[in-house]
Amino acid sequence: MGLLDSMFGGGTSLTLSLDTPQASAGGVVGGKITLVGGKKPLKLTELTVKLLYVCVTSRDDSPMPNIDTRVLLTQTVAAGEDLPPGAQKQFAFRFTLPHGTETTAHNVSYKVLASADIPSVKDPGADAELRVVDADEDQHRLLPLEEVFNRFPGLRSSNEGELVDALRDLFLACYSEGGQFMEIEPYLADVMRRGTVEVRRGALEAWANLVDNRVTPQHLQTLYAVANTPGLDQATFDQVIIAACKFAEEGAFHLVQQLAQHSDPHVRREVASNLRFNAAEKFAGKRELVIQLAQDQDPTVRTAAVGTFSCFRDDQQIMYGVANQIDRDPSPAVQAAGISTLALAHHHGMGDLTFAVYEKHLANPAVEVRKEIASSINWLPKREVQRIFGLVQRLLSDPEEDVRSAMAFQFFNLSELPQLLPLAQHTIQNDPSPSVRREAMGGVASMMKPEQAAAFYGQVLASDQSEDTMWAVLNGLRHHREHPQGKKLLLQLASSPYEHLANAAREELTNR
């Protein structure tokens, strides 16, 4: 403490911190001030925050530069408060950087100044540098609350439908712009407490997307309060589960663990599913929790958990565990989930495991499992064309039409394997099911060159003008719509008597 502080009974201090060190014109600058009382009771007359602008320019007529110093804005943060001895008080502040504010440069700088007017002592103060950047360079840009409301005017509507729609729009916008809308967070938290059922649910969904990856202890408290709300409907509670999984690596994992032990299998299933779709790929404790859920007594929970094992495709122990679970689990749905999870294991050196499981389960009695193998064929490594050929051949010979149809549909995604073309052609000519033949007909073009596909479809249309056949041809021509012969056939389909088909063909011709 300096001599002046001692003479005037000081001991007070003030510190200032900014939420982010940079901002852009029209954006919000936020921060915190901590004020510590002195040795005796004092009175805070006023606590202010100012934005100081300094511009230094050289002068031709003088060696001394011209220094332009201006206070761009002043904000009163608090006033008329008692300050007991040694008390520590925190104050938050937020102000909007005026539009037209110059960006920081070699000769332009900004400071945020905080000072407390306290009679009988030296007024404590502090400052922090603020860097002003262009809006498109401001990674932490915060829009003022009024601008957020202007962007989503329905948020102020008294009409439930309009408000719910606006909350949904905000939810979607938060995927890419959430950081800019954080000023709306307190409003959403309030709506989550007082709105109708539909409104509260929409607010919770938007709020969770807004604060995801920006979670603070206060946000966790808000989530726990909603989770413990008596009589919460199932759909809203599902949003609680989603939010908890989103925040799992940011402090909500304990809540996720509690939900994973819930007596209702629906809740446990939602946890298992959202650990895949609404949580970080990996974080401490996730692996063990998913293993626990994969052993759940309820098959729907196990199915979701085995699907979530796709987050651990680089984990040999997990992938071999999935293969074993396919063998021993009595639920076809769980087995099918395992088939899907193994589809990309070859990216981590476990291709032989995947092929061995698929080849073995071609004889699985569950249609659901064999269909999933067919649906996963397009993910397998193309270099293993011989093994893929064998799988496809077996699937196209399956006694169940649904399995053959699922495999025929996948020809659309197998353009990199023209070696399978004879199998597709054989299916078109010989399968007993018209549906399977049409699926193969629509997908075969992916493995053909444009001229070959056009010649083939031209022959088809010459002998069969049915609507189902024309749809199959249209699906195939999507692969070659840029080719002159493909365009010619699309023009033919565009003049067909079937309205929806004709419109679809025209869209293919115009949407390039």
Side-chain angles (χ1 to χ4, degrees):
M1 184 190 308
L3 178 62
L4 186 63
D5 290 337
S6 300
M7 292 173 59
F8 287 94
T12 59
S13 65
L14 184 150
T15 57
L16 164 70
S17 64
L18 299 179
D19 294 341
T20 60
Q22 70 177 34
S24 52
V28 173
V29 176
K32 293 182 177 61
I33 299 170
T34 301
L35 179 62
V36 179
K39 297 177 180 179
K40 61 182 181 180
L42 298 169
K43 189 79 171 181
L44 171 65
T45 303
E46 187 178 46
L47 176 64
T48 60
V49 168
K50 298 179 180 181
L51 177 63
L52 179 69
Y53 162 84
V54 179
C55 179
V56 181
T57 54
S58 60
R59 294 192 297 188
D60 294 336
D61 59 346
S62 172
M64 300 298 293
N66 181 57
I67 302 176
D68 180 10
T69 303
R70 281 179 281 160
V71 174
L72 299 184
L73 59 84
T74 301
Q75 182 183 90
T76 299
V77 179
E81 292 201 17
D82 293 327
L83 190 60
Q88 186 176 98
K89 291 194 172 187
Q90 281 198 338
F91 305 89
F93 66 88
R94 315 192 77 71
F95 61 81
T96 301
L97 200 61
H99 285 285
T101 301
E102 293 180 56
T103 58
T104 298
H106 71 282
N107 65 326
V108 175
S109 61
Y110 297 88
K111 281 188 177 181
V112 178
L113 311 175
S115 62
D117 179 15
I118 304 174
S120 78
V121 301
K122 179 184 176 183
D123 292 341
D127 63 71
E129 289 191 11
L130 177 69
R131 179 175 173 78
V132 178
V133 298
D134 289 331
D136 57 359
E137 297 178 8
D138 188 1
Q139 297 180 353
H140 305 287
R141 181 172 173 79
L142 284 174
L143 293 178
L145 183 60
E146 191 64 27
E147 286 194 32
V148 181
F149 278 123
N150 290 340
R151 172 79 178 272
F152 307 97
L155 293 177
R156 283 174 159 161
S157 176
S158 58
N159 179 279
E160 181 183 55
E162 292 178 359
L163 178 52
V164 169
D165 287 345
L167 289 168
R168 182 65 181 178
D169 290 341
L170 175 61
F171 161 78
L172 294 172
C174 284
Y175 278 113
S176 57
E177 305 173 77
Q180 298 189 46
F181 302 144
M182 282 301 292
E183 294 297 291
I184 202 74
E185 188 275 332
Y187 166 81
L188 293 178
D190 180 57
V191 174
M192 285 156 54
R193 290 187 289 267
R194 62 175 173 79
T196 64
V197 171
E198 291 291 330
V199 169
R200 289 201 313 267
R201 187 183 306 140
L204 173 57
E205 182 183 39
W207 175 84
N209 227 20
L210 174 69
V211 304
D212 189 23
N213 298 317
R214 292 174 280 270
V215 177
T216 67
Q218 179 182 343
H219 298 144
L220 294 176
Q221 291 175 7
T222 299
L223 178 60
Y224 274 82
V226 175
N228 291 317
T229 302
L232 210 61
D233 65 284
Q234 186 65 70
T236 303
F237 197 72
D238 286 349
Q239 290 300 323
V240 170
I241 298 169
I242 291 172
C245 289
K246 283 183 175 183
F247 305 166
E249 81 282 12
E250 298 180 87
F253 186 55
H254 180 64
L255 175 58
V256 174
Q257 289 176 305
Q258 290 180 322
L259 294 169
Q261 297 177 12
H262 200 279
S263 59
D264 185 351
H266 171 88
V267 173
R268 303 197 302 275
R269 182 182 74 235
E270 289 299 303
V271 170
S273 178
N274 283 291
L275 283 172
R276 177 184 183 184
F277 296 112
N278 283 297
E281 187 81 358
K282 293 177 183 176
F283 56 85
K286 176 174 176 176
R287 182 182 188 273
E288 292 72 23
L289 183 57
V290 179
I291 290 174
Q292 170 193 319
L293 289 164
Q295 308 307 315
D296 196 275
Q297 61 182 0
D298 188 277
T300 66
V301 179
R302 298 199 304 276
T303 299
V306 170
T308 301
F309 278 142
S310 60
C311 299
F312 300 93
R313 286 191 174 112
D314 59 341
D315 188 322
Q316 262 196 19
Q317 185 179 6
I318 293 290
M319 290 300 99
Y320 276 88
V322 169
N324 289 332
Q325 187 152 357
I326 296 171
D327 287 342
R328 60 179 170 76
D329 200 295
S331 167
V334 174
Q335 297 169 26
I339 293 293
S340 176
T341 294
L342 289 175
L344 295 174
H346 62 88
H347 287 302
H348 305 283
M350 288 173 276
D352 284 341
L353 172 66
T354 301
F355 276 108
V357 170
Y358 284 15
E359 288 160 356
K360 177 179 181 179
H361 284 277
L362 288 173
N364 193 298
V367 172
E368 185 176 353
V369 176
R370 305 199 303 277
K371 280 182 62 177
E372 191 59 45
I373 296 174
S375 298
S376 301
I377 288 290
N378 65 300
W379 299 113
L380 298 179
K382 306 307 182 283
R383 65 182 179 274
E384 297 290 348
V385 62
Q386 289 187 334
R387 298 186 78 170
I388 294 174
F389 191 99
L391 288 170
V392 173
Q393 191 172 39
R394 290 275 302 278
L395 289 162
L396 291 173
S397 301
D398 196 277
E400 290 291 335
E401 178 181 328
D402 283 353
V403 176
R404 302 197 309 276
S405 182
M407 185 60 254
F409 173 81
Q410 285 303 316
F411 284 129
F412 196 87
N413 299 314
L414 295 171
S415 59
E416 296 179 50
L417 291 173
Q419 299 92 330
L420 302 179
L421 179 56
L423 295 178
Q425 292 171 324
H426 183 271
T427 300
I428 294 170
Q429 295 166 2
N430 297 288
D431 196 277
S433 166
S435 175
V436 174
R437 295 198 301 270
R438 283 193 297 269
E439 291 286 11
M441 187 182 299
V444 71
S446 71
M447 297 173 283
M448 290 178 167
K449 293 182 178 180
E451 296 82 2
Q452 184 184 10
F456 169 68
Y457 287 132
Q459 292 174 356
V460 169
L461 293 175
S463 60
D464 187 349
Q465 294 282 316
S466 67
E467 184 175 8
D468 287 342
T469 296
M470 285 188 169
W471 274 111
V473 171
L474 174 61
N475 288 334
L477 288 173
R478 296 179 198 276
H479 290 281
H480 305 297
R481 63 182 183 180
E482 300 290 343
H483 192 272
Q485 294 184 36
K487 291 180 182 178
K488 183 178 179 180
L489 288 174
L490 284 170
L491 284 169
Q492 182 179 336
L493 294 175
S495 61
S496 77
Y498 309 110
E499 181 180 357
H500 294 302
L501 174 74
N503 289 336
R506 293 186 195 104
E507 288 179 7
E508 290 299 319
L509 287 165
T510 57
N511 296 333
R512 305 250 175 245

